[in-house]
Structure formats: C-alpha cells, structure tokens
Amino acid sequence: MRNVMIHRGGVLFCTKPLSIFPSLTPPLLRLRYSSAAAAAASSPNRAIHCMANNDSPLSQPLTGGDSSVSVPPPSSASSAIDFLSLCSRLKTTPRAGWGKRDVKNPESIADHMYRMGLMALISSDIPGVNRDKCIKMAIVHDIAEAIVGDITPSCGVSKEEKNRRESEALEHMCKLLGGGERAQEIAELWREYEANASPEAKVVKDFDKLELILQALEYEQEQGKDLEEFFQSTAGKFQTDIGKAWALEIASRRRKQQ
C-alpha cells in the first residue's frame, strides 16, 4: 500500500506514502480493512483502520503535505483478552487439597476466590478497613496460581520457593496485561496480601481460612467426609473479630451435624 490516511467524513482515505511517517512503519502498526473497506475493495482509495500493537502513544496529529492525520490511541483490548484467557485456568484448576482427600468434583481456584469476594462484599463496615479494597484483594490473591497451580503445604515446596514461583508468575501476568495502572494495582494488592501488611490483608487472610472451613463443612455434609484436619489447620489463626465470629458460627454448625 502506497498511501497514507486522511480523515474525511469518518472514513480514512489513502493519499500519501507511508514512508513520510517513520513512526507508523511496521511493526508498530498493523492495518486491517474495515467492513467499509471490504465493500470498497475495488476502489483505489480503500478505507482502513489503524491499530497500534504496543503501548506507544500515537494520538498526536501528524502532517503530510497539505493534510493532517490524527491517529487514535492504541487499544488495550488485545492485552486485556490475553490476560483474561490466561486467567481462565483459575476456573478449571481444582484446589489441590480436596483432591488429596478424594473429594469428588472439588471447587476450582476461581470458585474459592469468588466466594471470598462475596464475603468481603457482605461484611459489615470495619473501622480503618477499606471494604472495596478487600473485595479486590480477594479476587486477585491467588491469581498467580493460573500459572503455578495450587501449591499446598503437602506439596513439599518451601514458603520461599512458593513465593518465588508465584512472584515470577505475577510479573508475567502483569506484563501480559500491559504493565499499566491496572496491572500495577493487581501486583500491589497481591504483594500486600502476601506480606499481611495492612488491615485489609488481615481481613482477607481470614476470609481465605473461612472459605476453606466453610467448604470443608459443605463437603462433609454432601459427601460424608471427615475433613477435621482443615479445621485443625486454621484453629486459633484468625486475626480479626469478623474472622473469629464467622469461624465460631461455622464450628457451631459443624457440631450440630455430628
């Protein structure tokens, strides 16, 4: 193609050589025909759409001869869909602990995070705790498991090695997302949770344990399992009043069924 685009009536027409705009040479830009272009395929002036395939700003006006070209900013749709497609693994990866106890049709990692998000959503306001931040933290706290899987204490992997693997996975996922503001937010929430470094992290850590024992109770009821070890592993480890109160309620319901 030997022409560059001029905006006329909502359609981009080709008039000047692409070589006069070095910033638009491949691979920075990929060009694709719009439906209007396909309909005008036999025309010497073909309508085209421009989409940048990186994060470089391309919205500045460019001039070529006597015409001005305004290139739209790059779309983040590609990186968003790549990121979401990777996250789909969270929906299909079972939580490992249940499989080791022969639980049938165990929950996925995404199932676990979703109910934690609901816990944060329905929880009462707590002084000094940002509930919206808790919701966000709940739905990203295990996000690195889309790559590394669910590493449990029984896997024989040290805490240091687990953190290293998950940190590398998180970095990859944030780059896949484009490394912008949203990627940075996800990384900060994840690290804050891992470090137990804020009131919100403490609340969400408790929700993590609460979701575990509530799910254990449900599997005991549905499948006749004895999952006492999960209750023992969380006993005395709740850090917040809401965590302690909800854990007592779950334990009370479990005693009534025994």
Side-chain angles (χ1 to χ4, degrees):
M1 183 169 298
R2 293 176 297 180
N3 294 330
V4 143
M5 305 159 290
I6 286 184
H7 187 273
R8 290 179 184 166
V11 180
L12 295 176
F13 291 94
C14 305
T15 62
K16 298 292 181 182
L18 278 175
S19 59
I20 68 170
F21 300 131
S23 63
L24 299 184
T25 54
L28 205 61
L29 213 63
R30 66 175 184 268
L31 307 177
R32 65 182 185 186
Y33 290 112
S34 67
S35 57
S42 61
S43 170
N45 291 325
R46 295 181 178 180
I48 59 176
H49 288 297
C50 294
M51 181 180 295
N53 61 7
N54 68 3
D55 292 326
S56 301
L58 293 175
S59 57
Q60 300 84 355
L62 299 175
T63 58
D66 57 355
S67 302
S68 177
V69 179
S70 181
V71 181
S75 170
S76 61
S78 179
S79 59
I81 298 304
D82 287 343
F83 175 82
L84 293 171
S85 294
L86 177 56
C87 287
S88 70
R89 297 180 188 177
L90 297 168
K91 297 168 62 177
T92 57
T93 304
R95 294 256 284 163
W98 306 126
K100 290 179 171 61
R101 305 303 177 272
D102 297 322
V103 170
K104 297 177 182 178
N105 301 315
E107 65 171 345
S108 69
I109 298 167
D111 293 331
H112 168 66
M113 292 197 294
Y114 175 73
R115 187 152 64 174
M116 283 178 61
L118 287 179
M119 289 177 172
L121 179 63
I122 69 171
S123 63
S124 302
D125 290 336
I126 303 171
V129 174
N130 184 324
R131 188 168 62 94
D132 289 344
K133 185 177 180 181
C134 288
I135 296 170
K136 292 179 181 181
M137 191 176 288
I139 62 175
V140 304
H141 81 286
D142 279 342
I143 200 167
E145 293 181 11
I147 293 177
V148 302
D150 185 18
I151 302 173
T152 68
S154 63
C155 293
V157 178
S158 68
K159 288 184 178 180
E160 294 77 13
E161 175 62 15
K162 178 177 182 291
N163 183 264
R164 185 193 68 78
R165 293 182 190 180
E166 292 181 346
S167 294
E168 288 184 358
L170 179 72
E171 182 178 358
H172 171 79
M173 295 180 77
C174 288
K175 287 180 180 178
L176 188 66
L177 187 55
E181 181 180 349
R182 290 293 174 261
Q184 183 178 351
E185 181 182 23
I186 289 172
E188 289 174 354
L189 287 166
W190 185 87
R191 294 185 183 111
E192 189 174 312
Y193 173 85
E194 285 294 305
N196 199 25
S198 66
E200 291 83 7
K202 289 175 171 53
V203 169
V204 179
K205 287 276 189 182
D206 277 4
F207 288 157
D208 184 48
K209 298 179 184 69
L210 287 167
E211 208 288 321
L212 173 69
I213 61 174
L214 179 56
Q215 187 63 74
L217 174 61
E218 291 163 351
Y219 285 147
E220 286 186 336
Q221 293 169 336
E222 295 165 4
Q223 301 186 26
K225 299 286 185 181
D226 180 2
L227 300 172
E228 172 67 19
E229 64 188 284
F230 293 97
F231 296 92
Q232 289 294 331
S233 68
T234 58
K237 295 183 180 179
F238 293 95
Q239 306 174 79
T240 66
D241 289 342
I242 190 172
K244 294 171 184 176
W246 288 15
L248 284 173
E249 175 63 22
I250 293 170
S252 173
R253 296 187 180 205
R254 186 171 184 249
R255 284 193 298 271
K256 290 178 182 178
Q257 78 173 18
Q258 291 175 337

